[in-house]
Amino acid sequence: MLNFKKWFIVFTAFFLSVPSVSLAGSIKDGTSGNPGEWYVGETPSTIAANSHPILFVHGLNSSSDTWYVNNNMYTTAYQSGYETAFIDLNAGKSMWDNGALLAEKVKEIYNYFGEKVVVVAHSKGGVDTQSALVHYGADPYIERVITLSSPHRGSQLADLAYSSWAGWLAGIIGSKNDGTYSLQTGYMDYYRSVTDNQANVYNTPFYTFGGTKWGSFGSALYWGGLYLSSYGSNDGAVTVQSSRLPYATEISVGRWDHTTIKEGSSTFNLFKDYLNESMTYSPSIASFETAAATEEMEASAGHYVTGGEYVGTHKERVAVEKGVSSVTFDWISDHKNTSLILQSPSNKTYADFDVTADDTEFFDGAYHHSITLKNPESGKWTLETKADQKESYLLNTAFESPVDAMLSSEVEGNQMKVKANKKLNVNTDMTIEYYDKNGKLKEKKMQAKKNGKDFKIPSLGEGVYNMTIDVKGTYDGTPLERTIIQSVYIDDKGKLYTP
C-alpha cells in the first residue's frame, strides 16, 4: 500500500508539472495517430505578445505525440507563452493525400483560434505542408512555415528502401508505402517541377533548418547517416542540401540529428522570433543559389549493397580491395537475434557484432548487426548467418577507400551513364524496377554491360524507375565491388525527372 502511495504522489507531481493536451474539432478521444484529428494544447496564463498559435506537423511514419512524448517541444512552447495545436496526418501517405487533409483541417484550426497559425513541421511534414499551401489552398490559414530537416528534394534512403536489394526487408517492416515512394529523389524532382513554378509558391514564407549529426557508432541514426554520407552532410535521414528550398530563408544548419532537431531545447529559441506578427519576408533566390552551389557535390560510390530472404544457414561474400582504410559490415534484418560470423580472406573470424534498433523513418523496425574494421586485408570476406525462421535482410558494406571517388553515375537524356576511373577494371549490371504512379511494382528488368558503358532507361509508363547498379571488377589486382542506387521519375508525357 505504501509503494502505491509513493507511486501515486510521484505520478501526480509529474502530471501537474506538464501542461495537458485537450481535444478540438471532431475529436472523440486522445489517441494519437488517427488521421485528421487535431488537438489543442493548454492555453498559457500569459500569451506571448504579437504571437501566432503554432501548429505542429509530424513527419513520415510518425504521429502528433512526437512533439510531446519524450520531447519537450510542447512544454517549451507553452512555458514561452505560445498557444499550440497538433495534428495527425496519414503516417505513410504521400504529400498529395496529406496536403489535401491538412488544408481541410487547418481551416478548422484557424477558425478555432480566430487567426492564422505558424506551422512548425518536422521532416516530411514540411513537404505535406507545402502541398497543402500550393496545391490545396491553405494560404488563408497559415502565416508562415518553419521546416525542421524536411526532405524538400527527397532522401536517398527512400531510394535505398525501393531498390532491388532492399525490397525484401522494406516490404516486411512496412517501409514501402506511399510516403516513402513519394520521397524517392526522382519523384521529388518531379514534385519540385510542379510546385516551384506555381504563382502562389511565394505567398507563404518558408524558413528552414538542417542537421549535420548522426550520433555515435551504433546509435539509431548512425546507419542512415553512414549511407547518406556519400551524398553530403546529413542528420541521419535527410541531407543538408535536401533540407533547403531556393526561395526560403535558412535559419540555421547545426549539430542536430533527425530526432534532436525537433526537440524544444534544441531549436525552439532559434525560431521563436519567427512566430511573431512583426516578421517580414523577402526571399533572396540569387543569394541562396550561390550558397547552395557550394553544397553541391558528386556522390561517391562508397557502398556495396545486397539483400534477400533465407532460412537456415546463409553466406554472403564481399570483395574488399587494396587500400581500404575502414570497412563497416552492416547486416540489417527484421530479426534481432540473428547469429553472424565474419571471416577474413586469411580465415580470421569475428563475431562481436553490435546490435542496434533502427529509428529512421525509412527502416524503422529493423535491426542493425554491425562491425567496423580498420585497414582490413584485401580479398573476399565471408559473412555467415543462421536463422531458425525466414529472415529478410539487407547487407550494406560501407568503405573508406580511394576507389570511392573513382566511380560515379549520371543521367543524360534517357541514358544512365556509369563512369569508372581508368585504374579500375569493372563490369556493371543494372536492375531497373518500375513502379507505376500508384506505387505498384509493374516490371523488373536487368541489363548487363562491360567497362562501365551506358544503360538505356526504358519508358514503360508514368512512375518511378529505381535503378540498382552493381559494379564488380578489380583495382590494383584486388577484387572490387560497389553498388550505385538512383531513381528517376517519368511523367505521363514521357518527360524524365532526375535529381
Side-chain angles (χ1 to χ4, degrees):
M1 186 67 175
L2 182 61
N3 289 338
F4 173 78
K5 288 182 177 178
K6 286 183 177 179
W7 176 88
F8 181 78
I9 292 170
V10 171
F11 175 81
T12 302
F14 172 78
F15 180 81
L16 293 176
S17 68
V18 178
S20 63
V21 177
S22 62
L23 307 179
S26 61
I27 301 298
K28 295 180 179 179
D29 59 56
T31 303
S32 176
N34 296 318
E37 293 189 349
W38 55 277
Y39 310 76
V40 174
E42 186 176 333
T43 303
S45 56
T46 302
I47 298 175
N50 301 315
S51 64
H52 287 280
I54 311 169
L55 172 59
F56 290 100
V57 179
H58 65 78
L60 178 69
N61 298 327
S62 186
S63 60
S64 61
D65 65 7
T66 192
W67 299 105
Y68 50 85
V69 174
N70 299 320
N71 185 356
N72 60 2
M73 180 62 84
Y74 168 42
T75 303
T76 304
Y78 171 80
Q79 293 175 346
S80 299
Y82 289 88
E83 297 174 284
T84 54
F86 308 84
I87 189 167
D88 278 302
L89 300 180
N90 290 287
K93 293 294 186 179
S94 73
M95 71 284 288
W96 307 111
D97 292 313
N98 281 345
L101 179 60
L102 179 58
E104 174 189 346
K105 296 301 177 178
V106 76
K107 182 177 180 180
E108 296 176 7
I109 297 169
Y110 167 87
N111 289 333
Y112 178 89
F113 288 110
E115 61 178 311
K116 288 185 175 183
V117 298
V118 173
V119 169
V120 174
H122 178 237
S123 195
K124 181 176 172 288
V127 182
D128 294 339
T129 302
Q130 186 171 38
S131 185
L133 286 162
V134 176
H135 299 286
Y136 296 102
D139 271 339
Y141 317 113
I142 299 175
E143 181 69 18
R144 61 183 67 96
V145 180
I146 299 166
T147 64
L148 307 175
S149 192
S150 289
H152 296 296
R153 301 186 186 185
S155 175
Q156 290 81 7
L157 287 176
D159 292 343
L160 176 62
Y162 268 84
S163 68
S164 62
W165 289 125
W168 300 95
L169 176 62
I172 288 292
I173 63 177
S175 61
K176 290 180 77 172
N177 55 43
D178 292 348
T180 303
Y181 172 89
S182 68
L183 289 182
Q184 292 178 86
T185 57
Y187 189 91
M188 282 303 297
D189 190 68
Y190 162 74
Y191 176 76
R192 296 261 62 91
S193 75
V194 297
T195 300
D196 294 348
N197 63 0
Q198 299 295 321
N200 64 346
V201 77
Y202 299 101
N203 288 0
T204 305
F206 269 70
Y207 301 86
T208 67
F209 281 78
T212 62
K213 186 178 179 181
W214 343 320
S216 58
F217 177 85
S219 63
L221 287 163
Y222 178 86
W223 309 111
L226 183 65
Y227 183 81
L228 290 176
S229 63
S230 293
Y231 302 92
S233 301
N234 69 88
D235 67 356
V238 176
T239 64
V240 170
Q241 183 180 350
S242 186
S243 74
R244 292 168 165 162
L245 278 170
Y247 38 80
T249 298
E250 185 173 79
I251 297 177
S252 184
V253 171
R255 295 284 294 166
W256 304 293
D257 65 32
H258 200 63
T259 297
T260 59
I261 201 168
K262 63 179 168 64
E263 293 175 354
S265 52
S266 296
T267 53
F268 183 84
N269 284 336
L270 294 176
F271 66 71
K272 182 169 67 173
D273 290 343
Y274 296 82
L275 303 171
N276 302 328
E277 295 177 2
S278 58
M279 285 298 302
T280 58
Y281 176 59
S282 55
S284 176
I285 298 175
S287 62
F288 175 88
E289 289 179 342
T290 300
T294 64
E295 177 68 22
E296 296 282 351
M297 61 172 288
E298 188 173 78
S300 62
H303 299 267
Y304 169 69
V305 179
T306 189
E309 287 185 331
Y310 76 98
V311 63
T313 300
H314 181 72
K315 292 183 179 181
E316 288 285 356
R317 291 178 174 83
V318 181
V320 176
E321 74 273 8
K322 181 180 177 180
V324 174
S325 59
S326 174
V327 62
T328 297
F329 297 91
D330 182 20
W331 183 273
I332 314 169
S333 166
D334 59 334
H335 292 174
K336 182 178 182 180
N337 299 317
T338 301
S339 172
L340 291 163
I341 296 176
L342 179 66
Q343 187 176 66
S344 74
S346 61
N347 297 323
K348 184 177 180 179
T349 60
Y350 304 82
D352 51 342
F353 285 78
D354 290 304
V355 181
T356 310
D358 193 295
D359 193 30
T360 68
E361 296 168 315
F362 301 98
F363 290 94
D364 187 18
Y367 295 92
H368 295 265
H369 310 257
S370 53
I371 187 170
T372 296
L373 302 172
K374 300 294 185 182
N375 302 311
E377 62 181 293
S378 61
K380 288 281 189 176
W381 289 69
T382 302
L383 193 62
E384 182 175 312
T385 178
K386 294 181 181 179
D388 295 332
Q389 53 187 318
K390 183 185 290 185
E391 177 174 344
S392 298
Y393 72 95
L394 173 66
L395 173 60
N396 174 32
T397 306
F399 299 88
E400 291 183 12
S401 167
V403 167
D404 300 348
M406 296 182 185
L407 279 166
S408 64
S409 65
E410 63 178 348
V411 177
E412 291 185 4
N414 67 344
Q415 299 286 320
M416 167 62 81
K417 296 179 178 291
V418 180
K419 298 180 180 180
N421 188 286
K422 62 182 179 181
K423 294 181 180 180
L424 307 180
N425 180 23
V426 298
N427 296 330
T428 55
D429 292 332
M430 183 171 78
T431 302
I432 296 179
E433 293 193 336
Y434 162 56
Y435 292 83
D436 68 15
K437 63 181 181 180
N438 298 313
K440 303 298 183 183
L441 178 62
K442 304 297 289 187
E443 194 160 349
K444 183 172 182 176
K445 291 176 172 287
M446 194 182 96
Q447 304 177 37
K449 297 285 184 181
K450 293 183 178 180
N451 302 318
K453 293 183 179 179
D454 305 344
F455 295 92
K456 182 179 179 181
I457 303 171
S459 184
L460 304 171
E462 182 180 3
V464 172
Y465 295 70
N466 191 294
M467 295 170 286
T468 303
I469 302 169
D470 294 306
V471 181
K472 298 181 185 292
T474 59
Y475 167 68
D476 200 13
T478 58
L480 159 75
E481 289 180 316
R482 290 292 191 277
T483 307
I484 300 170
I485 297 170
Q486 187 170 341
S487 69
V488 301
Y489 187 83
I490 296 179
D491 67 14
D492 57 352
K493 298 179 176 60
K495 183 177 180 180
L496 186 148
Y497 299 84
T498 182

